[in-house]
Amino acid sequence: MELPAKISLETLTPEMVAKTIDHSLLRPDMTIDEVIEGCRLSAKYQVASVCVKSCDVLIAAKQLQGTGVEVGTVVGFPHGNTSAKVKVFEALQAIDDGAVELDMVLNIAHLKSGLYDEVREEIRLIVDAAKERLPTCCIKVIFECSLLTDQEKIMACKLSEEAGADYVKTSTGFSTGGATIADLKLMRASTDPKKTRVKASGGIRNLDYLIECLQAGADRIGASATVAIIDDMRARKAALH
């Protein structure tokens, strides 16, 4: 769903807000029953996708079949330290299990070590393998911005775009910080909007901050407070009429 050129509470609809959200179901202690309930809520609220742990992809795919909500998962999560070959295997297994969106963590240590060719090649390997298996697969590259300098964030944007990623993403939500407006503006300025979209994730717990993130250049939002956000949007829109 396309967003309005000028983003505000007045121009957005609850349906538009819902379709910006990847509902996060990544908590390490989350039970199967909680995953199933999260999928049920995602279908009810018609979000863009769920983002589940790779072990839960089969469950999510079964729960969301025919609902219009996509199944996403994470690769190399949360630290990005597994080898490129392991990440490729994980990505392909997730696709075979029913995932159509993959949020991969880049190799943060290699980026900070200046191993830019290696970082670009790893992303490209995953992009190429995933899109060969499923041409419509959406690949998002997670940076973990709280651990990077601004120059490293700019370089990560450049490498991700060169490797063919569909999105660049701020954070895992499991490190020292989440999505900031400054980082979103920097990532939007450092990528071509015709090629690469931006996902904000980490600490987005209310409607006002979600709208701020969209205004700063985010196209997609990772959130676990989905119900509260959309219910608030519905209430506020109703109050305007």
Side-chain angles (χ1 to χ4, degrees), residues 82-100:
T82 47
S83 70
K85 287 183 179 180
V86 170
K87 288 180 181 177
V88 168
F89 180 89
E90 190 176 9
L92 294 180
Q93 183 64 56
I95 291 170
D96 290 346
D97 287 346
V100 298

Side-chain angles (χ1 to χ4, degrees), residues 50-66:
V50 296
C51 190
V52 298
K53 294 167 287 188
S54 57
C55 61
D56 294 330
V57 170
L58 280 169
I59 295 165
K62 180 179 179 181
Q63 292 296 317
L64 292 169
Q65 186 175 8

Side-chain angles (χ1 to χ4, degrees), residues 206-221:
N206 60 65
L207 176 61
D208 291 325
Y209 196 52
L210 179 145
I211 292 174
E212 282 188 66
C213 289
L214 296 177
Q215 291 169 335
D219 301 282
R220 195 78 72 87
I221 304 292

